[in-house]
Amino acid sequence: MSGPDEPQWELLPDRPEDFFGLEGDYDVLDLKRKYNSFIRKFKPEKFPEEFQKIRAAFESLNDALRYGEPLPSSQHLQFDWSSDTEQSDSELQNELTGSPAADPLYNSSSEATDKGQKTGLLERLKDEPIDVLYSELKQQPSKSPYDYYALAVFADLLPETKGHFAGWILEGLKVHQEEPGLFELLKQYFSQEIPLKELASLLLKTSRIVNSDRFYYLTEKGWDRLIRNAPFKIFRKTLSSCEANLRDHRVDNLLVFYLHILKPAIWKASQKWIDQIFAEVDSHYDELPYWLEREYYLLDLLRQYREQRDTFIQESAIRETIDRAIRNYSVLPESEADLAFLECQLLLISYEDDLLTEFPKLDKQLLNLRILWELIADDVYERVEVYVEYSESEQRDSQIQKLADQLFHENYGRRYQNITEMTSTTYVLLFLASIISIIYLIFRMFSSFWSSLLYIGLIVLTNFIFFVLAALSSNWLRDRYYRAGWRFEIMRFFQTCWLPLDEVAEGLEALNGTKKDDIEYEELDEIANLMRLDPGLFIYVTAQRLLHASH
């Protein structure tokens, strides 16, 4: 890969801000926009290595921004030590393994020395066994941060102590509290595939040593794995035990963590636990950062959907497909969730007419579903969209004009116009007849006042009832023609046009009342409103747009 738009890979992992082109004051949303622009080009299925680099850089910055931590660009794995002999800890790892370190846990640009030793560890490794050095360093009474790092590396390489890496890092943090290098090593360790039994135990041990509000920032990746892969009772018990060890944690860190973990938890937790967490968040809603408000809204819709999903599914293949997509979006890692959501769109398009007839009307439950589906689709769309220029109004207007022609030149459109014209003529004739009758009765009123007044009242009441019934029948007729013909024309239109549904509806409203050739475009505003209220059409249009964007 090469070209003017090729990212500056040499800036990773040490300078993620420069890699994303961020400078000055920026926030989570600014970072997300930059990240999305990169992964549209480097999709995980085509460029797995590049995607992993971009994702790792994004997560390091995103975590720091969300929790208000120092940005990674100023917080490398730097230890405070001094000695006559210097060596880099990456060189130490290379010497131990015989090859460049691939694991980010062992990568660092900082300089290292073996404090208190006349000969550096790197030199001694050439002649002495690892177990001898490990035993000697372990018995050393006073240890620097780098000593604990070296012990962690040695322990992970020796068969009898393998898996003790995190234990030594925690021991180091116990002595050198919140030391940046050790802290960052442990945070990266929680991103690894730790066995679930060890993970729960490690989280509890960590809470006893790092018992401040930074615990949530440090361990968030571990909780992600625990909530997705362990029974919920283990997650709940572990979280409760850890939080019992925390002191003076800030509520903003707590809110960030809860809103992060709620998305998968909604599908696994008990209703009581979910309500408790939402109550905690609600009590501090005014303290939420603005970028969390949308996340809260999405989570609240997910909670409402979960409460209604048994009623919604109703043993329908289409509804089960939609349900599975919403669940996958909530519980799978981002790249897997995006792919699963796009696969769902293929299934939904394959249903075609069945998808439109599955949802006969938009009730309150379906309104919430449409909003939820729109938020999820917009989130996925931002990561898969290949921008298509629709800003030229002439192109957009011509497409919408074409749709209006299809709606009114096809058989259903012409029949509907003929019926509405007949109905309008009937309205006029009835109105004129009523006026003539009332005038005649007024002239007779002087000879028979009360009877004439009664006749006038009956005429007015009859006309009122007729106009009410005519309006209702007109609405019924319009709805019938929409479902019998127009919506299928609209569906076919969106097979080759990927404008947003609401934009097309606005365009139809703008054409309402205009005339072209012998056709006058009436009721287009009502058709546009029916389009907006049609959940089946919305889901179909969304699927077409997402698949077009992903291609």
Side-chain angles (χ1 to χ4, degrees):
M1 290 171 293
S2 62
D5 297 330
E6 181 72 9
Q8 295 178 279
W9 300 109
E10 67 276 8
L11 297 176
L12 298 180
D14 294 334
R15 296 166 58 190
E17 287 179 283
D18 294 336
F19 176 79
F20 286 116
L22 296 165
E23 56 184 16
D25 293 331
Y26 62 90
D27 59 19
V28 173
L29 299 181
D30 296 323
L31 171 62
K32 188 174 182 181
R33 281 190 285 268
K34 291 285 188 178
Y35 164 71
N36 288 340
S37 68
F38 273 96
I39 62 171
R40 286 173 199 155
K41 180 179 179 182
F42 296 98
K43 299 182 185 298
E45 61 274 14
K46 291 185 178 180
F47 306 98
E49 293 182 8
E50 290 84 352
F51 173 80
Q52 288 299 330
K53 290 180 181 179
I54 296 169
R55 182 68 190 174
F58 166 75
E59 288 184 347
S60 65
L61 282 175
N62 186 53
D63 291 349
L65 287 171
R66 289 187 300 115
Y67 284 99
E69 289 283 331
L71 297 177
S73 57
S74 60
Q75 187 182 340
H76 300 309
L77 307 184
Q78 294 178 339
F79 300 99
D80 181 19
W81 56 64
S82 60
S83 179
D84 296 333
T85 307
E86 294 188 349
Q87 65 188 50
S88 69
D89 50 350
S90 59
E91 288 175 349
L92 170 63
Q93 178 63 15
N94 294 350
E95 180 71 19
L96 291 169
T97 59
S99 61
D103 194 327
L105 289 175
Y106 304 137
N107 290 339
S108 172
S109 60
S110 56
E111 294 297 319
T113 65
D114 178 20
K115 186 176 180 180
Q117 299 292 329
K118 292 182 179 179
T119 306
L121 283 175
L122 187 61
E123 292 298 321
R124 296 182 64 189
L125 276 169
K126 297 177 181 178
D127 303 312
E128 301 179 47
I130 295 176
D131 56 346
V132 172
L133 294 175
Y134 175 74
S135 178
E136 180 182 318
L137 199 56
K138 180 179 177 182
Q139 295 174 10
Q140 188 171 298
S142 178
K143 302 180 183 67
S144 69
Y146 181 71
D147 292 332
Y148 285 105
Y149 165 71
L151 283 166
V153 174
F154 290 157
D156 216 32
L157 293 170
L158 293 171
E160 62 273 18
T161 57
K162 190 171 182 61
H164 290 189
F165 182 93
W168 278 113
I169 299 298
L170 282 174
E171 286 295 318
L173 286 171
K174 189 187 296 184
V175 178
H176 306 277
Q177 295 183 1
E178 298 192 0
E179 202 284 329
L182 296 176
F183 191 90
E184 187 64 20
L185 281 169
L186 187 59
K187 182 179 183 298
Q188 293 181 23
Y189 186 81
F190 272 112
S191 301
Q192 310 306 304
E193 294 289 326
I194 307 171
L196 294 178
K197 289 184 179 180
E198 295 178 17
L199 178 58
S201 175
L202 179 60
L203 286 166
L204 189 55
K205 291 176 182 177
T206 303
S207 69
R208 297 191 185 108
I209 296 171
V210 184
N211 55 10
S212 67
D213 58 291
R214 300 189 75 200
F215 171 80
Y216 295 110
Y217 166 69
L218 172 65
T219 60
E220 186 183 82
K221 295 295 186 292
W223 294 111
D224 285 344
R225 177 165 165 74
L226 197 65
I227 187 66
R228 288 187 170 95
N229 298 287
F232 178 73
K233 63 180 181 180
I234 293 178
F235 171 86
R236 183 186 59 196
K237 181 180 179 181
T238 306
L239 180 60
S240 178
S241 300
C242 288
E243 290 187 325
N245 293 325
L246 302 186
R247 301 290 182 269
D248 70 324
H249 60 77
R250 296 176 297 176
V251 69
D252 50 351
N253 276 22
L254 187 71
L255 294 176
V256 170
F257 175 75
Y258 280 168
L259 289 178
H260 173 80
I261 213 69
L262 263 174
K263 188 184 288 185
I266 282 174
W267 298 91
K268 299 189 69 174
S270 65
Q271 189 62 48
K272 180 180 179 181
W273 188 87
I274 294 172
D275 291 341
Q276 287 175 347
I277 299 300
F278 267 98
E280 178 73 21
V281 174
D282 289 341
S283 65
H284 299 284
Y285 183 80
D286 293 339
E287 302 174 48
L288 284 179
Y290 74 94
W291 49 267
L292 273 180
E293 291 178 1
R294 182 181 182 276
E295 186 71 15
Y296 175 84
Y297 184 44
L298 173 65
L299 290 169
D300 192 40
L301 288 171
L302 281 172
R303 174 175 63 164
Q304 295 177 46
Y305 174 74
R306 187 214 179 197
E307 294 171 354
Q308 302 166 345
R309 66 185 292 264
D310 290 340
T311 305
F312 169 75
I313 295 175
Q314 296 177 345
E315 297 183 356
S316 161
I318 294 175
R319 294 178 180 231
E320 286 176 358
T321 299
I322 293 170
D323 175 76
R324 185 165 57 253
I326 295 173
R327 182 183 176 91
N328 286 338
Y329 172 80
S330 304
V331 302
L332 293 178
E334 184 182 274
S335 59
E336 295 179 32
D338 288 352
L339 184 59
F341 196 75
L342 292 173
E343 289 173 350
C344 167
Q345 310 312 305
L346 283 172
L347 276 175
L348 291 174
I349 285 179
S350 69
Y351 290 122
E352 288 195 337
D353 295 355
D354 292 337
L355 177 62
L356 299 185
T357 56
E358 178 69 31
F359 305 101
K361 61 180 180 178
L362 181 62
D363 56 27
K364 182 179 179 181
Q365 182 190 64
L366 292 178
L367 176 60
N368 289 340
L369 173 68
R370 178 195 157 144
I371 297 172
L372 173 61
W373 194 258
E374 186 172 15
L375 288 174
I376 295 174
D378 285 347
D379 186 38
V380 176
Y381 191 82
E382 287 177 1
R383 290 188 288 274
V384 303
E385 176 205 13
V386 177
Y387 182 68
V388 179
E389 181 61 62
Y390 281 120
S391 59
E392 296 182 7
S393 59
E394 292 183 3
Q395 180 184 3
R396 185 201 64 177
D397 292 346
S398 65
Q399 289 175 317
I400 297 174
Q401 178 73 58
K402 180 181 177 182
L403 174 61
D405 292 342
Q406 289 175 336
L407 295 177
F408 278 85
H409 282 80
E410 297 294 330
N411 289 335
Y412 278 103
R414 289 192 175 278
R415 269 187 270 163
Y416 180 77
Q417 272 205 322
N418 291 336
I419 292 175
T420 53
E421 288 173 1
M422 290 174 58
T423 304
S424 299
T425 303
T426 304
Y427 286 165
V428 173
L429 292 175
L430 179 64
F431 180 75
L432 291 174
S434 300
I435 293 297
I436 293 171
S437 299
I438 291 173
I439 292 173
Y440 171 75
L441 289 171
I442 289 175
F443 279 110
R444 290 194 55 193
M445 190 177 292
F446 296 104
S447 59
S448 179
F449 176 79
W450 292 110
S451 61
S452 298
L453 191 64
L454 178 62
Y455 286 136
I456 292 173
L458 288 174
I459 291 173
V460 172
L461 179 61
T462 301
N463 275 272
F464 175 75
I465 293 173
F466 176 81
F467 280 112
V468 169
L469 292 175
L472 292 174
S473 64
S474 178
N475 290 337
W476 173 85
L477 182 67
R478 182 173 56 247
D479 186 72
R480 178 176 178 274
Y481 270 78
Y482 173 78
R483 297 195 177 279
W486 283 333
R487 72 195 310 227
F488 293 102
E489 291 296 329
I490 296 169
M491 181 189 77
R492 282 197 289 270
F493 169 78
F494 279 110
Q495 289 174 354
T496 55
C497 174
W498 298 282
L499 290 169
L501 185 145
D502 287 336
E503 190 172 326
V504 173
E506 290 172 4
L508 290 177
E509 285 177 332
L511 289 174
N512 190 57
T514 62
K515 190 172 183 178
K516 180 183 177 184
D517 299 331
D518 60 336
I519 299 294
E520 184 173 353
Y521 298 124
E522 296 179 345
E523 305 288 343
L524 276 177
D525 55 338
E526 295 298 334
I527 294 175
N529 189 50
L530 289 171
M531 287 170 59
R532 293 190 182 100
L533 298 176
D534 188 342
L537 179 64
F538 174 79
I539 291 171
Y540 181 83
V541 171
T542 301
Q544 288 283 15
R545 295 191 72 225
L546 276 167
L547 292 176
H548 172 67
S550 66
H551 290 160

